[in-house]
């Protein structure tokens, strides 16, 4: 690995600005999934009770349940990305302040720092 001379920079304000998008999209996905579920529930089992209808229903129902569960996981994932981005930005800000404090000496009366130098 070579040194490119680039310095790692974390744009905390960009993280905080982008985070709400994940929450908004999480809400939009949850709303769309709820609407779809309600619409499909209202249809009942329109494929019929004959042999073909029974085969379709036996294959469709478990897959529909799996898809609904997966969409729920995606909704939670988008929400968690929102929270993680905010936490990450806050953590970087706090860490920067901590490091700044480590390298900043407070001068007291008489021209000496807090360590007496």
């Amino acid at each position: 690995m070579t040194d490119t001379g680039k310095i790692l920079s974390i744009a905390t304000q960009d993280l905080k600005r982008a985070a709400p998008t994940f929450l908004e999209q999480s809400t939009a996905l949850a709303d769309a999934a709820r609407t779809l579920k309600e619409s499909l529930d209202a249809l009942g089992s329109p494929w019929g009770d004959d042999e073909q209808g029974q085969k379709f229903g036996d294959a469709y129902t478990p897959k529909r349940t799996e898809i609904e569960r997966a969409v729920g996981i995606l909704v939670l994932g988008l929400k968690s990305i929102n929270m993680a981005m905010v936490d990450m930005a806050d953590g970087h800000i706090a860490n920067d302040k901590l490091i700044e404090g480590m390298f900043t000496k407070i001068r007291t009366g008489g021209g000496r720092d807090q360590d007496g130098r």
Side-chain angles (χ1 to χ4, degrees), residues 96-107 113-114:
D96 285 349
K97 287 180 181 177
L98 175 67
I99 292 171
E100 179 183 341
M102 296 167 94
F103 291 99
T104 304
K105 298 285 185 177
I106 300 172
R107 297 277 176 189
D113 65 19
Q114 63 189 14

Side-chain angles (χ1 to χ4, degrees), residues 23-117:
L23 184 59
E24 292 164 8
Q25 295 306 314
S26 171
T27 302
L29 180 58
D31 291 346
R34 185 175 34 261
T35 300
L36 177 60
K37 181 178 180 355
E38 290 169 358
S39 297
L40 292 174
D41 286 346
L43 293 173
S45 303
W47 44 82
D49 292 331
D50 62 354
E51 182 181 349
Q52 285 299 99
Q54 186 66 37
K55 286 180 181 179
F56 177 84
D58 290 346
Y60 167 82
T61 303
K63 294 298 181 191
R64 176 182 166 190
T65 302
E66 287 177 27
I67 290 170
E68 288 172 352
R69 189 175 301 123
V71 169
I73 291 168
L74 288 173
V75 167
L76 293 175
L78 289 170
K79 282 183 185 179
S80 70
I81 290 170
N82 166 65
M83 293 184 310
M85 289 177 81
V86 171
D87 288 347
M88 186 185 312
D90 290 343
H92 281 292
I93 291 167
N95 190 51
D96 285 349
K97 287 180 181 177
L98 175 67
I99 292 171
E100 179 183 341
M102 296 167 94
F103 291 99
T104 304
K105 298 285 185 177
I106 300 172
R107 297 277 176 189
T108 59
R112 295 178 181 230
D113 65 19
Q114 63 189 14
D115 295 330
R117 295 185 201 136

